[in-house]
Amino acid sequence: MTAYIVRRTLQAVLTVILVSIITFGLLHLLPGGMVRGLLGTHANPQSIAQLSAQMGLNRPLFMQYLSWFGNFLHGDFGWDYFKQQSVGSLIQGTIGQSMYIVGLSLVLSVLISIPIGVLQAVRRNTLLDHTLTFVSFVLWGIPTFLIAFLMLDLFVDQLGWIPTSNEIASFHDALTQPQAIILPVACLTLTSFAGYSRYLRSSVLDELTQEYVRTAIAKGAGRRRVLYGHVLRNAMIPMITLIGLSLPALVGGAVIIENVFNIQGIGLLTTQAALTNDFGVTLAITMLTAALTVLGSLIADLSYAILDPRVRLD
Amino acid sequence: MTTTPEEVLSPEPTSVELGLESVEKPRSMFRRGWEVFAENKLALAALVFLVAFILLCYLGPMFYHGNGTQSDMEAVTLPPGAGHPLGTDENGADVLAQFFKGGQLSLNVGVLGGVISAVIGTLYGAISGYFGGWLDAVMMRVIDALMSIPLIFLLIYLGMIWGHDATLMIWVIGLTGWVGITRLIRGESMVIKVRDYVAAARMMGGSGPHIIRKHILPNTIGTTIVNTTFSIAGSIFYLSTLSFIGLGLESPHADLGGMLNDGTQFVDQGYWWMIYPAAIAIILVILAFNVIGDALRDAFETRLQKR
């Protein structure tokens, strides 16, 4: 087990380093990109050179990378030249509500996908199964922003069930205004549960053909006991890996949701930074999100190994 | 197979009579695939819809001469009616004309971006799977890294660096969306490379690039075609998303998502014609590509079973 943990952790560290090289490298595909972004396209060469020197952009690329990544590891994410604030404090003020919404949606979509996936597997190839498959196929295909917009239009504008004047500007708002996060969380849940329920359906179907199911039935275990006591438990374990793999998509969905519902989270921060060509902020957030995602899938894989001893043997 | 008079009169025995050929002429894999595909009514409907939508967007402007870019302050936010079948926008420009143009842009960027993704993903996966060893290990670690960056961040980031016009968006989307295909092709490539005919080709001196071109790629064509379809759906999906949050294509050269970015600002005023035609078109087009991709996958899988 220790060997597995060490190997898997080293792999995660390597991934984070590669992500940092890729994101940092992309930024420097365009010569003077960062400075030109800040000063506008009509800046004169003199001011470009001056700001480049000030920001340390005239050093060799490798040295720039090392100092940037070193700072990043120490929690120094850079400076936002537009808002005149450190990127770290910007992230601190926004990451709470984003993680809250993502976390809540993740838990809800897993909880919803379990009964639906099991139901579809038990009633396989019935009208109900086909309908649910089709519904999740459609939900999976519609862009998140459209689901969000349609729900906003329906529940806020048409039906008036939820008041419009909700703005989530802090983690405190997210906690204290449940009515304002109902729709964002519902959207994110709707767009992400489909993948889980589809997986669970096939996973339960696989497990149902296993011999231990026949044994359990032969020993007189009831339908419910077989299904929830044996089959579901085994079918759920690989879900952990799937959840780890689906984290990037979920975080990506949150970016869109925050834009539509005007939640001052990390996704909206990214979009605003992109609109003002503030490369440093986008770079830092992209890097941080990827690092958190890697950490998430590391945790997923390690808990998988704890639950299923077969994994750590190979 | 109907018998022609010539065949009846022909003194020479046909190859069937001589037992040289199976009675039924072997059909090409695409023909067998099409038969399975055609049984899927939903997929046929999706195909018919897509063809109709493509014709509408490209041929529409030839018959309908509304102006989607010029502002006309006399005719601002008109509801659908005479002269403007889909009404006008906040600048008085014709929405139907914008819809044709937006549909074209969504399709162009979607298809080209999707194809670029598929080409990169297929080649990357084939090379990684065929050569294996340390090359494969390095290439797969890069994939791990790319997969852990949420795609939307990568898109926003590349869009910032390169800029936001239609041609650049094709590359931004094409260069980010290929990771999923790579893993599938890599898996198939690893299966194919241990087959006897590949071993034979290698023993006769076939180089790696030659074997990939002549054996690996042709044998993964099914997976490539299926995933190109999904990839096109994904490209249209992401282009509309980027445009919607203001980081993709903007009016007057907006795709369907960019039109929605404009239109949804007026949702409170009830200007539905600036929102729902584009919204429904995006949903149906993406759904159609996904349905077709699903049906193609069934078709190719059946082909494999019958072989």
Side-chain angles (χ1 to χ4, degrees):
Chain A
M1 185 69 193
T2 320
Y4 178 80
I5 294 176
V6 170
R7 190 154 43 92
R8 187 63 189 74
T9 311
L10 282 178
Q11 199 191 330
V13 171
L14 183 69
T15 309
V16 171
I17 292 173
L18 273 174
V19 168
S20 74
I21 293 174
I22 292 170
T23 49
F24 188 84
L26 280 177
L27 184 57
H28 292 81
L29 280 180
L30 192 74
M34 207 152 162
V35 172
R36 203 179 301 163
L38 284 171
L39 295 176
T41 40
H42 301 297
N44 60 357
Q46 231 175 336
S47 51
I48 289 182
Q50 199 185 350
L51 189 61
S52 297
Q54 194 188 329
M55 291 166 75
L57 293 174
N58 49 1
R59 288 176 298 160
L61 198 57
F62 184 66
M63 296 308 292
Q64 286 184 46
Y65 166 76
L66 278 188
S67 74
W68 167 74
F69 194 50
N71 287 341
F72 180 85
L73 291 180
H74 286 100
D76 176 6
F77 299 143
W79 185 258
D80 184 335
Y81 288 86
F82 275 91
K83 294 186 174 153
Q84 289 297 322
Q85 208 178 340
S86 79
V87 178
S89 70
L90 283 173
I91 290 175
Q92 237 174 24
T94 50
I95 199 164
Q97 49 271 40
S98 295
M99 284 179 79
Y100 181 59
I101 287 171
V102 167
L104 216 54
S105 311
L106 179 64
V107 171
L108 273 178
S109 50
V110 171
L111 285 182
I112 291 175
S113 70
I114 293 171
I116 291 181
V118 171
L119 188 69
Q120 280 188 262
V122 174
R123 303 262 167 86
R124 61 188 164 279
N125 297 329
T126 60
L127 183 64
L128 180 74
D129 178 28
H130 293 312
T131 313
L132 285 172
T133 301
F134 187 72
V135 169
S136 57
F137 185 76
V138 171
L139 284 175
W140 179 73
I142 300 180
T144 313
F145 77 86
L146 264 177
I147 292 190
F149 167 73
L150 293 175
M151 284 179 81
L152 193 68
D153 191 24
L154 180 67
F155 291 112
V156 177
D157 298 333
Q158 311 288 339
L159 298 173
W161 288 358
I162 295 160
T164 27
S165 58
N166 287 312
E167 196 194 337
I168 302 282
S170 66
F171 184 49
H172 183 257
D173 286 354
L175 284 178
T176 51
Q177 298 183 19
Q179 78 278 11
I181 61 159
I182 288 178
L183 280 184
V185 170
C187 282
L188 213 47
T189 307
L190 270 182
T191 50
S192 56
F193 97 94
Y196 303 137
S197 70
R198 279 170 117 180
Y199 179 82
L200 207 60
R201 176 185 181 274
S202 65
S203 178
V204 168
L205 277 179
D206 271 358
E207 292 296 330
L208 281 174
T209 62
Q210 299 288 317
E211 290 189 346
Y212 71 83
V213 174
R214 207 169 49 185
T215 311
I217 294 172
K219 285 170 76 179
R223 200 183 151 79
R224 231 162 239 286
R225 172 144 181 73
V226 173
L227 203 56
Y228 293 100
H230 297 286
V231 171
L232 187 60
R233 285 174 76 149
N234 283 311
M236 280 292 290
I237 296 176
M239 276 274 282
I240 296 167
T241 307
L242 186 71
I243 291 170
L245 285 174
S246 69
L247 279 178
L250 204 61
V251 174
V255 174
I256 308 307
I257 295 287
E258 288 176 6
N259 269 281
V260 178
F261 292 100
N262 197 18
I263 297 165
Q264 300 289 328
I266 207 158
L268 198 58
L269 183 66
T270 314
T271 318
Q272 286 162 351
L275 286 169
T276 52
N277 268 334
D278 204 339
F279 290 97
V281 180
T282 323
L283 178 63
I285 297 176
T286 305
M287 188 60 222
L288 186 69
T289 324
L292 287 176
T293 309
V294 171
L295 184 68
S297 63
L298 175 67
I299 293 171
D301 274 9
L302 292 184
S303 28
Y304 187 17
I306 292 168
L307 289 171
D308 188 347
R310 283 171 300 182
V311 179
R312 51 182 190 251
L313 289 178
D314 57 46
Chain B
M1 196 205 267
T2 52
T3 319
T4 59
E6 282 80 5
E7 279 174 2
V8 176
L9 296 172
S10 163
E12 284 175 56
T14 64
S15 54
V16 173
E17 284 163 346
L18 292 171
L20 293 175
E21 211 180 292
S22 61
V23 178
E24 205 179 341
K25 188 170 169 266
R27 293 159 305 156
S28 78
M29 67 180 220
F30 288 104
R31 195 167 166 77
R32 275 175 291 170
W34 167 253
E35 282 164 14
V36 179
F37 184 87
E39 279 169 27
N40 188 335
K41 294 287 174 286
L42 187 65
L44 274 186
L47 190 64
V48 169
F49 166 79
L50 261 189
V51 171
F53 183 79
I54 292 168
L55 291 178
L56 180 76
C57 289
Y58 284 94
L59 298 183
M62 292 182 188
F63 301 103
Y64 178 75
H65 300 288
N67 197 326
T69 49
Q70 204 171 25
S71 34
D72 178 1
M73 288 306 156
E74 306 277 293
V76 173
T77 60
L78 289 179
H84 298 289
L86 274 185
T88 58
D89 71 0
E90 76 276 18
N91 297 318
D94 187 80
V95 176
L96 183 60
Q98 288 177 350
F99 183 87
F100 290 150
K101 186 75 188 137
Q104 285 180 24
L105 274 171
S106 289
L107 287 169
N108 288 350
V109 177
V111 170
L112 291 174
V115 168
I116 290 174
S117 288
V119 169
I120 298 174
T122 303
L123 287 178
Y124 195 102
I127 291 170
S128 178
Y130 177 75
F131 287 106
W134 64 268
L135 185 68
D136 179 48
V138 171
M139 287 175 90
M140 280 302 116
R141 292 293 82 75
V142 172
I143 293 286
D144 283 348
L146 283 174
M147 279 184 81
S148 59
I149 307 172
L151 191 55
I152 192 82
F153 282 95
L154 215 50
L155 287 165
I156 289 177
Y157 192 53
L158 264 187
M160 270 174 87
I161 296 171
W162 287 349
H164 303 135
D165 73 30
T167 317
L168 290 170
M169 286 323 278
I170 291 172
W171 286 103
V172 167
I173 290 173
L175 290 177
T176 45
W178 50 274
V179 177
I181 303 176
T182 293
R183 297 202 143 192
L184 296 172
I185 299 291
R186 172 177 173 264
E188 290 197 6
S189 173
M190 286 163 73
V191 172
I192 296 165
K193 76 170 180 189
V194 294
R195 297 244 172 91
D196 288 344
Y197 60 84
V198 177
R202 204 180 302 128
M203 266 180 268
M204 286 188 286
S207 65
H210 172 85
I211 291 171
I212 288 175
R213 205 168 59 238
K214 291 285 178 189
H215 298 292
I216 308 277
L217 292 181
N219 279 298
T220 55
I221 191 75
T223 310
T224 303
I225 290 175
V226 168
N227 285 284
T228 305
T229 319
F230 289 134
S231 180
I232 292 171
S235 299
I236 296 174
F237 182 112
Y238 278 107
L239 176 68
S240 62
T241 301
L242 284 175
S243 296
F244 185 79
I245 59 176
L247 296 170
L249 304 177
E250 284 167 25
S251 68
H253 301 292
D255 68 316
L256 294 172
M259 286 177 69
L260 276 175
N261 184 21
D262 274 357
T264 49
Q265 293 165 14
F266 301 97
V267 64
D268 294 339
Q269 281 94 323
Y271 301 152
W272 58 268
W273 58 92
M274 287 170 65
I275 301 169
Y276 284 94
I280 292 167
I282 291 177
I283 294 176
L284 289 181
V285 168
I286 292 175
L287 212 56
F289 274 111
N290 277 332
V291 165
I292 291 172
D294 247 20
L296 282 174
R297 181 161 53 195
D298 289 349
F300 280 109
E301 271 173 12
T302 321
R303 169 184 72 88
L304 292 177
Q305 283 158 11
K306 281 184 182 166
R307 185 158 69 186

